[in-house]
Amino acid sequence: MTDSVNAQQTGLDVAIILAAGEGTRMKSDKPKVLHELAGKTFLSRVMDSVRGLGAATRAVVVHYQADRVAEAARSYDPDVVIVNQDDKPGTGRAVQCAVQQLTETGRFCGSVLIAASDMPLLDTATLAELVAVHRSQGNAATVLTTRLDDPFGYGRVIRDEDGNVLRIVEQKDANAAEQAVTEVNTSVYVFEASVLAAAIADLDSNNAQGEFYLTDALEKARRIGKVGAWTATDSLAVEGVNDRVQLARLAKAHNVRVCEKWMREGVTILDPDTTWIEDDVRIAHDAEILPGCFLQGSTVVASGAVVGPYTTLIDAVIDEGAHVERSRIQQTHIGPRAAIGPWTYLRPGNDLAADTKAGAFVEMKKAHIDEGTKVPHLSYIGDAHLGAHTNIGGGTITANYDGVHKNRTEIGSGCHVGAGNMFVAPVTVGDGVTTGAGSVVRHAVPDGAMVYSENTQHVDEDWKPAWERGDAERN
Ligand code: UD1
Ligand code: MG
């Protein structure tokens, strides 16, 4: 999938993305186009692909939850033109509103791409090819089509015996013969601006859905000039998502491709069926991904690292030879040969150097752990810096929160921290310090010292449980 195509090559002037629909079939409080596939909204994906064409004017049509969709669109592309569709429904009405606004502002000219925003895997290469076909055939309008084994729900492309496109018939308006057609409209078109303006001028809503259909514009465009179609070979790239069943199916098919891409790059993925990898993740050859992993955001995994089983990495950096098992790790750097897990929870902001360990039931947040230091069991290390080659006893906690502020703990290098310690932050412990089991460290400890807490052991040899003393019934 290429995402950078030279604007001069495509010669496209205007791109209109339709994002005004509610997406009723998603049954969601959220507009359909803000649902995500592999960690990115449908809208951002389509806008990214369209932007690759280099059209000078890029417009997004909004209506349902207009402010929310417009804000998202502007966050992906600050120069986008927002068009507000009025209360008249339909893809045709959306384009009428866009054409009117762009004409009024002097931005409607040349070749115009129209794309629905509910096709999350649309890519720049497919769009560029459509524009190239439109140009080379000298068309007034060109529609992007595809062939589907199950075309249910889509508009069908009706051609004459010579293969010329006559019109598009929506599922709900199609007769049995039309429903048998497997070539479908993808909702991506290129029109010459003047043809589009004329073709949408008098659309009506005399159809099963009572909507102004953009598809009707093609039939009208035939009266003005040549209407062509180009059939995308990769149907995945042009599949629309109208409900969550389609979304899951498309996301799965996309993930299969992503996993196969990484396996071909030399990454071992033991079970692609249970491994999910988002698009911006980078994995070096000879990394191993074990079953049940979810690699998200800008995660980077180096060569020789082993991830999993059952690990979630979110914007994490895993260096070479590190092993991360059954853990959740977010915005954290794991140094070379570090051992993480199982059941380790690393919240944002940690930096673990080479040969470190964060073992079972260890939680960290904003912790900087220097080389060779180990936190093997049942600990919480937050807002802390641990020096090099220090060992932290099981059950140790940095008490970093006094109810108002988060306070820092500094522990030096070469320390031996006993089991069950409590560091009450803010507190600083020097290098080479040994602490006794169960110490509560509230004050600074100098280099090389030994620290322990008074923790008197009381033994009552005559003690008996209440029920033995006859004070209470044993239950
Ligand atoms: C549409 C096409 C159908 C095609 C299918 C491909 C029409 C009439 N039908 O049907 O031929 O096979 O896409 O996926 O065009 N939108 C607006 N304003 C509206 C209604 C919709 O901007 O008033 C936007 C939606 O946000 C969406 C796109 O247009 O991004 C398509 O709308 P949708 O309701 O999904 O149309 P389909 O029924 O899928
Ligand atoms: Mg749709």
Side-chain angles (χ1 to χ4, degrees), residues 25 32 116 118 240-242:
R25 290 163 280 184
K32 175 166 68 174
D118 62 347
V241 171
N242 293 316

Side-chain angles (χ1 to χ4, degrees), residues 261-304:
K261 179 191 98 173
W262 288 117
M263 289 187 275
R264 293 205 172 87
E265 298 275 329
V267 176
T268 296
I269 299 180
L270 202 60
D271 183 15
D273 284 346
T274 61
T275 302
W276 288 80
I277 303 173
E278 291 182 352
D279 298 7
D280 296 339
V281 170
R282 295 288 166 264
I283 314 175
H285 68 93
D286 288 331
E288 263 182 74
I289 314 296
L290 303 180
C293 289
F294 194 3
L295 276 51
Q296 297 179 260
S298 57
T299 289
V300 178
V301 180
S303 182

Side-chain angles (χ1 to χ4, degrees), residues 25 32 91 116-119 153-154 186-187 240-243 246:
R25 290 163 280 184
K32 175 166 68 174
T91 49
S117 53
D118 62 347
M119 26 197 333
Y154 285 85
T186 64
S187 259
V241 171
N242 293 316
D243 63 28
Q246 286 173 319

Side-chain angles (χ1 to χ4, degrees), residues 53-75:
L53 293 174
T57 297
R58 300 174 298 276
V60 172
V61 185
V62 300
H63 178 78
Y64 178 71
Q65 295 194 25
D67 291 346
R68 205 170 160 187
V69 179
E71 192 189 320
R74 283 198 199 95
S75 75

